[in-house]
Amino acid sequence: MNLRQRYESASKPKLWTYIVLRVTVIAVMVAQIFNQNWHNVFLCVLTLLLFMLPSIVSRRFKVELPNALEIIIVCFIFSAEVLGEIQQFYLTVPFWDVMLHGVNGFLSAAMGLALVNTLNEDEHVMMHLSPLFVVLTEFGFSMMVGVLWEFFECAMDLLFHTDMQKDTWISAIHSVDLNESVLNDPVHLTIESVAVNGAPLGDGTRYLDIGLYDTMKDLAFNFIGAIVFSIFGWFYVKKRSNFAAHFLLRKKRDDTAPQDDQRQSG
């Protein structure tokens, strides 16, 4: 299938999504070149390359991506890289980061269900899993992806001194290390003043956490996204509901098979 046939076979919403997002990314990249912000230029180039990921996966693994799934994936990439990083939505828009983690949990669960369900329905695989086990497997797959991403964020912060695991201001500490009696009872302290190198930290009344709360919040929303799709996934495996099918990878059909059968019959 050549490029023209591919675009003609694509749905109009998916086609227009790609056109609008790619033109927007290129416009942002040109603006960043004029501003000589080479880090953002790299992010734009990375975004354009990631836009090619669905088609690469489709060709490499011989699978079909539903239009709804592909649209959500490219919108997710655009929201994370261009809006989140370049336009700084992570800092200016409340809950932008956790929203993306929720979508990531939803999409990862869809990927997990597609993988397990493909094996479950393959006639050459001597295995048949119950709907509950399939759902638990897809949920575990989604949470594993979320944990691996948090490992990546932590590694980037430690090795390259980034701030992917955003800090959180807290006003109280609960720790057994502050118990002078060396007992396993946490001491609860309200923070009244904080100084670093002799200067007040922030407004001087709060402590700056170094990513723990952000990590747990991200995993919590990943958990919510995985739970939401797992509910739809259970109905799909159990009763073949149509909603989850819009987000599941499918094996490409062998269009040559009917022709071979006709040729043999002829």
Side-chain angles (χ1 to χ4, degrees):
M1 181 181 293
N2 57 35
L3 184 61
R4 180 179 179 181
Q5 292 174 332
R6 178 185 169 193
Y7 279 122
E8 288 177 349
S9 63
S11 67
K12 289 185 178 180
K14 183 174 73 172
L15 177 60
W16 279 107
T17 299
Y18 270 107
I19 292 175
V20 171
L21 293 185
R22 280 174 173 158
V23 170
T24 303
V25 173
I26 292 174
V28 172
M29 182 170 63
V30 172
Q32 297 304 316
I33 291 176
F34 279 109
N35 295 332
Q36 296 185 354
N37 193 330
W38 306 116
H39 177 263
N40 288 347
V41 172
F42 167 76
L43 290 178
C44 290
V45 174
L46 177 63
T47 301
L48 293 174
L49 293 176
L50 290 176
F51 281 168
M52 301 169 58
L53 187 61
S55 60
I56 294 175
V57 171
S58 178
R59 292 197 304 267
R60 177 64 178 83
F61 298 100
K62 297 180 180 180
V63 295
E64 295 179 355
L65 277 72
N67 293 332
L69 175 63
E70 194 164 348
I71 290 174
I72 292 178
I73 289 175
V74 295
C75 289
F76 177 84
I77 295 171
F78 179 82
S79 300
E81 298 298 333
V82 177
L83 298 181
E85 294 290 348
I86 299 177
Q87 300 299 323
Q88 299 184 2
F89 276 27
Y90 288 130
L91 300 178
T92 60
V93 178
F95 304 108
W96 185 262
D97 183 48
V98 294
M99 178 198 68
L100 292 181
H101 278 279
V103 174
N104 177 71
F106 186 92
L107 294 178
S108 298
M111 297 295 180
L113 176 59
L115 294 173
V116 177
N117 196 56
T118 299
L119 292 176
N120 203 31
E121 295 181 346
D122 195 328
E123 297 178 354
H124 303 287
V125 178
M126 302 299 295
M127 176 181 65
H128 183 73
L129 305 176
S130 66
L132 179 60
F133 191 86
V134 171
V135 170
L136 290 176
T137 303
E138 73 167 83
F139 173 79
F141 179 84
S142 176
M143 294 305 300
M144 180 195 69
V145 172
V147 170
L148 290 178
W149 178 255
E150 294 303 321
F151 284 169
F152 171 76
E153 288 188 351
C154 182
M156 293 296 292
D157 290 350
L158 291 176
L159 299 177
F160 299 101
H161 307 291
T162 61
D163 189 21
M164 297 187 69
Q165 293 179 305
K166 297 296 185 291
D167 302 329
T168 304
W169 290 101
I170 57 177
S171 57
I173 296 178
H174 318 284
S175 174
V176 296
D177 289 338
L178 300 177
N179 193 326
E180 298 179 355
S181 301
V182 196
L183 298 176
N184 194 28
D185 294 325
V187 174
H188 309 283
L189 294 179
T190 300
I191 299 175
E192 297 179 353
S193 63
V194 178
V196 176
N197 297 330
L201 180 64
D203 60 6
T205 62
R206 295 179 298 174
Y207 171 74
L208 190 63
D209 165 71
I210 54 174
L212 173 63
Y213 285 85
D214 179 75
T215 297
M216 298 309 299
K217 182 174 58 178
D218 292 345
L219 290 177
F221 277 83
N222 191 103
F223 174 87
I224 293 173
I227 284 291
V228 170
F229 188 86
S230 295
I231 295 173
F232 294 115
W234 187 88
F235 283 105
Y236 173 80
V237 178
K238 189 72 175 177
K239 302 180 180 180
R240 286 296 181 261
S241 63
N242 293 328
F243 179 80
H246 293 297
F247 304 94
L248 298 182
L249 302 176
R250 297 182 295 266
K251 288 185 177 180
K252 285 186 176 180
R253 300 174 189 149
D254 189 359
D255 297 333
T256 62
Q259 299 176 0
D260 295 340
D261 294 340
Q262 293 176 1
R263 189 180 300 111
Q264 292 175 2
S265 63

